[in-house]
Amino acid sequence: MKKTFLFLMSLFFFSFCFSQERGYLGITVGGSAPIGDFGSIEGDKVGCAIGGFTGDLSLSYRGTKQYGVYFALRLQVNPLDEKPFLDMMRASSTSVDWTAELGSWITLQTQIGLFVTLPINERISFDPRIALGLTVAGSPSIKMTASSGGSSAGLEQKVGSSAAFSFSAGGNFKFNFSSERYALLVGADFYSCEPEFKDVEIVSMGSTEKSNFKQSIQTVSFNIGLGIRF
């Protein structure tokens, strides 16, 4: 009798543990909006960035009923705004025709942090989070070409790369489907880092110079995707 009771208790405990959701794997995509200097076109530390793309793969794992650890790998791409570059060049010389070929600010972010699950009802919860991480950032290429009377000349800034620590804060609304396996994720995040780019090549009139600069990168992103619960 005692052995049977212990067996049933063990079976119940095993079933209970494995029937509870411990976390979810998230796959989301969305848009990224620059804020502060990163999106400004006036000042000394402007980024001239515009809205772009963000996508991430994340893992949220709860160690207790409400609190857990958050991991994420995120790609963010913010193109440059063409207008301020052309306006600046046209203001310096109105007798030539200027064209611009501009790249994008690119960040590959790794994040680790904490999150808490706040149930709203049986199927909906809000999971706020904060995270620190390491970012590998790429500065955009900039190529300006002046054409006049059949001849042309160009100015080009090459792509730079840098690594920097980062901070993010945000959260997901999680809508569980009737299936116990999947959920809809709708979220938003604030992200900040300040990489320093060194020895970025600038080519003009056949000569090459190197430049060092810092860039504050701050964005607010909105995303939607699929959560795979476990």
Side-chain angles (χ1 to χ4, degrees), residues 93-115:
S93 178
T94 58
S95 61
V96 297
D97 181 30
W98 290 95
T99 59
E101 296 178 29
L102 307 178
S104 302
W105 295 98
I106 299 175
T107 59
L108 182 61
Q109 311 158 19
T110 56
Q111 301 176 358
I112 180 171
L114 302 174
F115 79 100

Side-chain angles (χ1 to χ4, degrees), residues 123 176-183 229:
R123 289 194 177 182
N176 294 339
F177 297 144
S178 56
S179 165
E180 295 184 359
R181 186 74 185 272
Y182 301 104
R229 303 159 60 198

Side-chain angles (χ1 to χ4, degrees), residues 191-209:
Y191 167 79
S192 178
C193 75
E194 189 173 14
E196 181 176 7
F197 299 93
K198 295 184 177 181
D199 297 328
V200 178
E201 293 186 351
I202 300 175
V203 181
S204 175
M205 304 297 290
S207 64
T208 301
E209 297 181 358

Side-chain angles (χ1 to χ4, degrees), residues 1 14 33 46 66 73 77-78 84 123 144-145 160 167 221-222:
M1 180 70 178
F14 181 87
V46 299
Q66 281 190 296
L73 180 64
V77 180
N78 291 96
R123 289 194 177 182
M144 307 295 298
T145 303
F167 168 79
S221 62
F222 302 91

Side-chain angles (χ1 to χ4, degrees), residues 3-225:
K3 290 183 178 179
T4 302
F5 176 78
L6 290 175
F7 172 78
L8 292 174
M9 287 296 295
S10 298
L11 182 62
F12 171 80
F13 180 75
F14 181 87
S15 300
F16 175 80
C17 288
F18 282 84
S19 65
Q20 303 303 301
E21 178 185 326
R22 303 301 295 178
Y24 54 91
L25 178 70
I27 305 170
T28 64
V29 295
S32 168
I35 58 177
D37 286 341
F38 190 45
S40 178
I41 60 174
E42 296 181 354
D44 296 330
K45 297 182 179 180
V46 299
C48 296
I50 59 175
F53 165 83
T54 182
D56 70 31
L57 176 67
S58 64
L59 175 67
S60 300
Y61 180 81
R62 287 202 309 270
T64 67
K65 186 176 181 179
Q66 281 190 296
Y67 300 96
V69 182
Y70 167 78
F71 305 90
L73 180 64
R74 175 174 295 174
L75 174 66
Q76 186 170 286
V77 180
N78 291 96
L80 284 180
D81 186 354
E82 182 180 279
K83 186 177 183 300
F85 290 90
L86 291 175
D87 288 347
M88 178 178 62
M89 291 301 183
R90 287 166 181 166
S92 65
S93 178
T94 58
S95 61
V96 297
D97 181 30
W98 290 95
T99 59
E101 296 178 29
L102 307 178
S104 302
W105 295 98
I106 299 175
T107 59
L108 182 61
Q109 311 158 19
T110 56
Q111 301 176 358
I112 180 171
L114 302 174
F115 79 100
V116 58
T117 292
L118 304 175
I120 297 175
N121 58 36
E122 291 183 356
R123 289 194 177 182
I124 304 174
S125 67
F126 176 58
D127 297 354
R129 57 180 177 251
I130 57 172
L132 299 175
L134 181 66
T135 290
V136 177
S139 66
S141 61
I142 301 172
K143 185 176 182 180
M144 307 295 298
T145 303
S147 303
S148 178
S151 61
S152 63
L155 170 69
E156 182 178 5
Q157 177 177 294
K158 302 288 188 178
V159 173
S161 61
S162 178
F165 291 106
S166 61
F167 168 79
S168 68
N172 284 329
F173 282 98
K174 183 164 69 71
F175 302 86
N176 294 339
F177 297 144
S178 56
S179 165
E180 295 184 359
R181 186 74 185 272
Y182 301 104
L184 173 68
L185 304 178
V186 180
D189 288 276
F190 166 78
Y191 167 79
S192 178
C193 75
E194 189 173 14
E196 181 176 7
F197 299 93
K198 295 184 177 181
D199 297 328
V200 178
E201 293 186 351
I202 300 175
V203 181
S204 175
M205 304 297 290
S207 64
T208 301
E209 297 181 358
K210 292 186 178 181
S211 174
N212 300 331
F213 59 91
K214 287 185 178 181
Q215 179 61 55
S216 173
I217 299 177
Q218 293 186 332
T219 61
V220 174
S221 62
F222 302 91
N223 49 72
I224 186 170

